[in-house]
Amino acid sequence: MPTWCGAESTLESLRAIPAHEQPFDATTKPAPTRIHFAAPTLDQECVEIARRILDANREFRDIGVIVRSEDPYVPALRTAFERFGIPARFYFGTPLRDDPTIRYLSALTEAMLTGWEHEATLKALRMDASPIEQSGHGDEFEVKVIKNLPNRGLDALKPHAPRRFQTFFDQLAKAATVEQLMTWTANQPLSASNLTHNIIPILRARPAALRAIADCIAELKSLTATEEPHEFWRELKIIIDAATLRVPDHRRNVVHVIDAYEARQWSLPVVFVCGLLERQFPKHHSESPILSDEARRPLRLRTAADRNQEERFLFDLAATRATSKLVLSYPRLNIKAEEISARSS
């Protein structure tokens, strides 16, 4: 148990049980080398973190990056790590609706509901998860379709595609419901002959995304018996919007990108803690104007002081996760190029 006020109630319950309590002597833990740096912007801060990771002369699995929350650092870190070729595991779920495979299936469903109107169908078939797009024939296919707009129907669309996709269009035409369309499309193997940097993440996430969409369909069918395509899709979108996708990643030698809560379970030789801005990490919680702290205390509700104390604990904890080197950083400017205040260490 950590030594902080938030653990007191749990400690009191444990002490009521006949058990042995052994305090941990924090002074025996080696003090890491502490380094600070500031970058002009958030994006450049992430680039500098990537550069320092490559210069650390350590296995990637010995390095962690701690952020207060997913937004705005995780997207910037993803971009920087991809640019420098750094393998990383991000311990964050993503909205299911944002997965490329799910966006493709959703666009294909929308096209079916229009009666395979060519403009809507072309939008779906030009997505990265589409087999036509992955084949490398997307541009040629799009030019032929655009020349014949407006139009609708798969029979009129089929002649514009390479011959090997004729069966693909025949099978799409057989789908009478949203479930049939998604189930058949999901079972189609993807070609691995035209792998690019944007296709590999799609292939890696595809099995988890397809399991997630199957779970969403099963959940909807347990709630309603309707198979009318428009109504079924309207209800299914609600479930998809509420679902989160977590892609299993079994790679061992990767940089670990975690949030401040996850960091409680970690101890790594090299740790970067980024975004150390005033009122952002630690976050600042103001007293509620509707239910004041004074009114909250008798009700045993958390006050602003309680939340600020927890934020301080999260920051102190993040700063103790490194055993060899701790790197603290922040950006000097916000997106408006205005000076922002860093948290004093």
Side-chain angles (χ1 to χ4, degrees), residues 72-328:
Y73 271 90
V74 167
L77 287 168
R78 285 186 191 274
T79 301
F81 288 175
E82 288 176 4
R83 173 183 169 187
F84 284 86
I86 297 173
R89 181 180 303 160
F90 292 82
Y91 292 73
F92 300 88
T94 58
L96 179 61
R97 64 177 179 272
D98 292 342
D99 176 78
T101 297
I102 302 304
R103 287 194 288 110
Y104 164 63
L105 291 175
S106 299
L108 207 59
T109 301
E110 299 277 5
M112 182 187 75
L113 296 178
T114 67
W116 299 111
E117 195 277 323
H118 284 193
E119 188 172 356
T121 308
L122 179 62
K123 176 185 175 182
L125 296 179
R126 285 310 312 267
M127 290 184 169
D128 288 337
S130 162
I132 291 181
E133 184 68 14
Q134 293 184 15
S135 71
H137 296 285
D139 291 339
E140 178 185 354
F141 175 71
E142 182 175 6
V143 169
K144 292 179 180 179
V145 173
I146 290 176
K147 286 181 178 179
N148 292 275
L149 290 178
N151 208 340
R152 74 176 57 241
L154 293 173
D155 288 338
L157 196 64
K158 186 165 61 172
H160 304 315
R163 181 171 298 179
R164 64 190 175 98
F165 289 105
Q166 304 306 302
T167 303
F168 171 78
F169 285 103
D170 290 340
Q171 293 295 331
L172 285 182
K174 293 179 181 179
T177 67
V178 173
E179 182 181 6
Q180 290 175 0
L181 174 69
M182 287 195 165
T183 302
W184 176 81
T185 307
N187 290 329
Q188 299 309 298
L190 295 180
S191 172
S193 60
N194 189 39
L195 291 180
T196 59
H197 74 282
N198 59 322
I199 296 299
I200 293 174
I202 295 175
L203 294 177
R204 183 180 294 133
R206 188 172 188 261
L210 296 180
R211 286 194 298 270
I213 195 67
D215 291 342
C216 290
I217 292 174
E219 180 180 348
L220 178 58
K221 290 177 69 176
S222 70
L223 299 173
T224 179
T226 183
E227 290 191 2
E228 196 282 320
H230 288 82
E231 183 179 351
F232 190 90
W233 175 236
R234 184 169 57 251
E235 299 297 329
L236 183 59
K237 280 199 298 184
I238 296 174
I239 297 177
I240 292 174
D241 287 345
T244 299
L245 176 65
R246 290 188 178 272
V247 180
D249 188 343
H250 302 295
R251 296 173 298 165
R252 293 186 66 248
N253 194 26
V254 294
V255 173
H256 308 280
V257 182
I258 55 183
D259 67 14
Y261 286 96
E262 174 77 16
R264 292 177 293 179
Q265 308 174 58
W266 289 80
S267 180
L268 294 163
V270 179
V271 171
F272 293 81
V273 183
C274 53
L276 299 181
L277 298 174
E278 187 176 359
R279 294 177 178 265
Q280 292 189 29
F281 191 17
K283 287 184 177 180
H284 176 75
H285 298 277
S286 300
E287 186 172 341
S288 171
I290 298 175
L291 190 62
S292 67
D293 286 357
E294 185 177 354
R296 286 173 175 269
R297 290 190 186 95
L299 300 174
R300 300 181 67 86
L301 297 176
R302 296 180 70 201
T303 65
D306 293 334
R307 289 182 291 170
N308 287 330
Q309 195 167 30
E310 180 182 355
E311 287 292 332
R312 174 68 200 195
F313 168 71
L314 288 174
F315 171 77
D316 291 342
L317 195 68
T320 60
R321 297 304 89 196
T323 59
S324 177
K325 181 189 293 185
L326 174 67
V327 184
L328 307 171

